[in-house]
Amino acid sequence: MAIAIAASSEVCYVWRMPRKTDARANAIATAQRLFRIQGYTATGLTQIIAESGAPKGSFYFHFPRGKAQLAEEAIDHYVASRIAVLRNISADTAGDARKFIRQIFRTFAAEMVASDFQYGCLMQNLANELPALDAELTKRVARGFVDSTEVIAQHFRGCGFSPAHASSAASALVAALEGARTIARLERAPSVFKALAEVSVQRCSPPEQG
Amino acid sequence: MAIAIAASSEVCYVWRMPRKTDARANAIATAQRLFRIQGYTATGLTQIIAESGAPKGSFYFHFPRGKAQLAEEAIDHYVASRIAVLRNISADTAGDARKFIRQIFRTFAAEMVASDFQYGCLMQNLANELPALDAELTKRVARGFVDSTEVIAQHFRGCGFSPAHASSAASALVAALEGARTIARLERAPSVFKALAEVSVQRCSPPEQG
DNA sequence: GCCATACTATGGTGATCACCATAGAAGGGC
DNA sequence: GCCCTTCTATGGTGATCACCATAGTATGGC
């Protein structure tokens, strides 16, 4: 097959060699971790490469567009896993908005405790450094929030919320989660998640709920 | 007066020369603005000095401890003005929790619109770069949140909330405000403030409120 | 065995980082 | 008029930044 393809000059590596190392995946995972802890600008490529253990010089082979490309792939990875978590919680609490909200706050709080309050949200960290980001990266961050919000709104609609109400409630919940992360990191305590969970849950309990 | 004071050797500049320039205040204001837009690490001293218009070389005369000291003074300034704003709103809406909350969201949203969604919260930006901050600066950021929260809690107590309820409601409100800022910057629209205001207000309206 | 591809390895690019040493100018106290 | 203090001005420090040029190794197709 290589012959047939080699003749076509357009695409030159279609046949994929068996993956030899996981240097690329390691770099993305390390970048995601460090960006979450330190932020985008404060994290140097030197540190990412060093901590990823992967060979140093080959970085621009895997990421020819450099740091920006690495961040793009890191955020894609992050958003995908965050959405997967939300979908799981949604499935576990189908039709029950209060249980859904409580479970989300509990899950996020647990994640922060597990990291000893070191990890922030990758999307939030990038959002706070917008001028350092190129257009493509900014778009992905914004899209990450939109997609996350949509998963939550979908669950609320499944609880009988009107589409408009579901959207605004989802938007409020996402914002509350982001804010809680900031506070929790400073307080090194998950109490703010508890406070916000109560506030958010009370909202959908009153008689006129629908 | 200068004679009498000059005799005391302990303090050597009590008598204050007439302030010749406002280079120092300019540097703090410029730092605050840039830190809010770009973040702490991403903002270089070079840029601060250049944009502040003040003379370049004299920076370490005014801020002998360098960037960290500048950030400390910037955040002190920021926290003080934020608390003043909250106190004003509190006084204008005494005894009315719902009005208080709505007015806060409206004020913060207006500030974001006025800056064309460029300004983040200085405390939040610093909180997201904790590893780059020294202990003193971290302490001031944390204290800024505690003090802001206390102003809000105080208002809630004045509305008849129990102390515990007032504290957790205030904590939730602060977190919601921070999260809303992040989202609003990306969406370049204040709608998330509106959504959160509705959610937060509904909480204190149901029959059992107290 | 040969070659193309996949990946590693080294060393260095100019630019920018925070920071500082040193010296000069401006102005009031005496 | 001299001095001390406040403030300005210049130029450069070593370190680190993202990025890249070049060469070497490993592996599978043929």
Side-chain angles (χ1 to χ4, degrees):
Chain A
M1 62 170 176
I3 303 177
I5 306 261
S8 105
S9 60
E10 279 199 39
V11 184
C12 45
Y13 29 102
V14 177
W15 60 284
R16 312 204 323 96
M17 267 185 65
R19 178 161 300 286
K20 282 188 259 185
T21 71
D22 48 0
R24 195 186 149 82
N26 275 342
I28 295 174
T30 304
Q32 180 177 323
R33 180 170 56 84
L34 291 176
F35 288 161
R36 287 184 67 180
I37 296 175
Q38 304 175 336
Y40 179 69
T41 311
T43 303
L45 281 179
T46 308
Q47 187 184 8
I48 296 175
I49 291 167
E51 293 200 17
S52 76
K56 170 178 151 191
S58 58
F59 176 77
Y60 284 91
F61 170 79
H62 294 291
F63 305 95
R65 289 200 346 274
K67 194 182 183 182
Q69 181 184 358
L70 179 60
E72 286 168 20
E73 308 211 18
I75 199 167
D76 285 349
H77 198 266
Y78 179 81
V79 169
S81 88
R82 167 154 162 160
I83 284 181
V85 167
L86 290 177
R87 278 199 211 283
N88 279 341
I89 299 176
S90 177
D92 286 350
T93 61
D96 188 336
R98 298 169 67 179
K99 203 172 161 191
F100 178 63
I101 293 172
R102 261 197 275 262
Q103 184 63 32
I104 286 181
F105 277 108
R106 213 173 327 170
T107 304
F108 278 57
E111 188 198 10
M112 295 231 61
V113 172
S115 77
D116 196 30
F117 302 99
Q118 286 189 86
Y119 282 27
C121 168
L122 180 57
M123 298 188 293
Q124 187 186 17
N125 282 8
L126 291 175
N128 282 337
E129 301 179 75
L130 282 185
L133 274 44
D134 61 26
E136 177 61 30
L137 198 42
T138 303
K139 207 176 78 184
R140 297 201 186 202
V141 177
R143 195 188 173 84
F145 274 116
V146 169
D147 290 351
S148 299
T149 306
E150 177 49 30
V151 172
I152 295 174
Q154 191 176 336
H155 182 94
F156 284 157
R157 288 195 297 272
C159 300
F161 287 33
S162 74
H165 184 194
S167 285
S168 83
S171 185
L173 181 53
V174 168
L177 283 168
E178 295 303 328
R181 269 215 154 97
T182 299
I183 308 293
R185 281 183 89 181
L186 271 168
E187 293 184 343
R188 301 182 61 84
S191 55
V192 66
F193 282 97
K194 226 180 167 74
L196 264 168
E198 285 168 24
V199 166
S200 305
V201 158
Q202 275 177 311
R203 176 198 47 95
C204 23
S205 58
E208 89 286 3
Q209 182 257 4
Chain B
M1 61 166 180
I3 306 178
I5 307 261
S8 107
S9 62
E10 278 200 41
V11 185
C12 45
Y13 25 104
V14 177
W15 59 283
R16 313 205 318 96
M17 267 184 66
R19 179 161 298 288
K20 282 188 260 186
T21 71
D22 48 1
R24 194 186 150 84
N26 275 342
I28 294 174
T30 304
Q32 179 178 322
R33 179 172 56 85
L34 291 176
F35 288 161
R36 288 184 66 179
I37 296 175
Q38 305 175 335
Y40 180 69
T41 311
T43 303
L45 281 179
T46 308
Q47 188 185 8
I48 295 174
I49 292 167
E51 293 200 15
S52 76
K56 169 179 152 193
S58 59
F59 175 78
Y60 284 91
F61 171 79
H62 294 291
F63 305 94
R65 291 199 344 274
K67 194 182 184 183
Q69 181 183 358
L70 179 60
E72 286 167 21
E73 308 212 18
I75 198 166
D76 284 349
H77 198 265
Y78 179 81
V79 169
S81 89
R82 168 153 162 161
I83 284 181
V85 167
L86 290 177
R87 278 198 212 282
N88 279 340
I89 300 176
S90 177
D92 286 351
T93 61
D96 189 336
R98 299 168 66 180
K99 204 173 162 193
F100 178 62
I101 292 173
R102 261 197 275 261
Q103 184 63 31
I104 287 181
F105 278 107
R106 213 174 325 168
T107 303
F108 278 57
E111 188 197 8
M112 295 231 60
V113 172
S115 77
D116 196 29
F117 302 99
Q118 286 189 87
Y119 283 25
C121 167
L122 180 57
M123 298 188 292
Q124 187 185 18
N125 282 8
L126 291 175
N128 282 336
E129 300 180 76
L130 283 185
L133 275 44
D134 60 28
E136 177 61 29
L137 198 42
T138 304
K139 207 175 79 184
R140 297 201 187 203
V141 177
R143 194 187 174 86
F145 274 117
V146 169
D147 290 351
S148 300
T149 306
E150 178 49 29
V151 172
I152 296 174
Q154 191 176 335
H155 182 94
F156 284 157
R157 287 197 298 271
C159 299
F161 287 33
S162 75
H165 184 194
S167 285
S168 83
S171 184
L173 181 54
V174 168
L177 283 168
E178 295 303 328
R181 269 216 154 98
T182 299
I183 308 293
R185 282 183 89 181
L186 271 168
E187 292 183 344
R188 300 182 62 84
S191 56
V192 66
F193 282 97
K194 226 178 167 72
L196 264 168
E198 284 167 25
V199 166
S200 305
V201 157
Q202 274 177 311
R203 176 195 47 92
C204 23
S205 58
E208 89 286 2
Q209 182 258 4

